[in-house]
Amino acid sequence: MRPHKLVSFSAAASAASGLVLAALVLPAGLPAAAHSGTTTTHHSSAPKLDAVGNVKFWECPSKTTRMLVAVNTLTLHPGSTLDITFIIKNTGTKSCNYTAPYAGVAPGPTSTTLQAGPCGSVGYAIANSRGHEVWPGPQLVNCPALGFAQLAPGATVSGTGTWNQDKPNTSTRVPPGKYTLVVDNKHFSFPIHVSS
């Protein structure tokens, strides 16, 4: 049995997602390839509300960058919203750069409040059962000014995103059915059911 290294994440996202995401236990001494992909903090066969894995986050290398993604639900009823929370931690010994919105007027300091989505630090999409993207799709988006911020060794950043079941550029709800939430260019995926 390998020793375990405790990787603590900020609890900032736990209130937003309604989950207790205080810490993740990761095996120590595993090669980087063993950490790639998505692992979960649960051990049941039911679909998970959260996942964690190594990712490349802008200029932060995947070898030393861990991301936790959590959702508030896997079933969306009429009028409900999918909430996505992410936490990123630099487990390395060097600072690295990531993109964040400016706080106030550019070129001021970058904001510590991050977003997921078309203008966010982390991207995500919703695909239907045929694999066609239904959100964000082609839409006109007015993004804030963005700039580089540093993620120090041992530091974490977090952010959120939402989907209200609407198609792009409309207030029309997508049809009931099976969908997939894909976060960070397919590093993480969650099965989503839109009910009637």
Side-chain angles (χ1 to χ4, degrees):
M1 180 176 221
R2 297 178 188 263
H4 285 83
K5 174 175 62 175
L6 186 64
V7 179
S8 297
F9 282 94
S10 165
S14 64
S17 66
L19 301 173
V20 178
L21 304 174
L24 302 170
V25 178
L26 307 173
L30 291 177
H35 288 303
S36 65
T38 303
T39 57
T40 61
T41 58
H42 300 288
H43 298 291
S44 69
S45 61
K48 313 298 187 269
L49 292 174
D50 59 284
V52 64
N54 281 55
V55 297
K56 181 174 180 1
F57 180 56
W58 297 95
E59 294 180 356
C60 299
S62 62
K63 184 177 179 181
T64 58
T65 309
R66 298 287 285 169
M67 181 161 76
L68 180 141
V69 178
V71 295
N72 63 325
T73 185
L74 297 175
T75 301
L76 293 170
H77 301 286
S80 64
T81 299
L82 178 67
D83 296 323
I84 303 151
T85 302
F86 67 91
I87 304 171
I88 296 173
K89 180 178 179 87
N90 180 355
T91 64
T93 58
K94 296 180 182 178
S95 293
C96 56
N97 292 328
Y98 65 95
T99 299
Y102 281 111
V105 180
T110 51
S111 174
T112 56
T113 303
L114 303 183
Q115 294 179 343
C119 296
S121 297
V122 171
Y124 71 92
I126 307 292
N128 64 17
S129 60
R130 296 181 183 175
H132 296 120
E133 187 178 298
V134 296
W135 193 94
Q139 59 176 303
L140 193 56
V141 180
N142 185 11
C143 294
L146 302 172
F148 275 120
Q150 278 202 342
L151 186 57
T156 61
V157 290
S158 62
T160 60
T162 60
W163 180 51
N164 62 2
Q165 307 178 51
D166 285 353
K167 296 176 183 178
N169 301 314
T170 72
S171 59
T172 305
R173 184 177 185 239
V174 296
K178 294 181 180 180
Y179 293 84
T180 303
L181 165 66
V182 179
V183 181
D184 194 41
N185 199 21
K186 299 185 182 180
H187 279 104
F188 303 92
S189 64
F190 297 85
I192 304 296
H193 175 72
V194 174
S195 68
S196 55

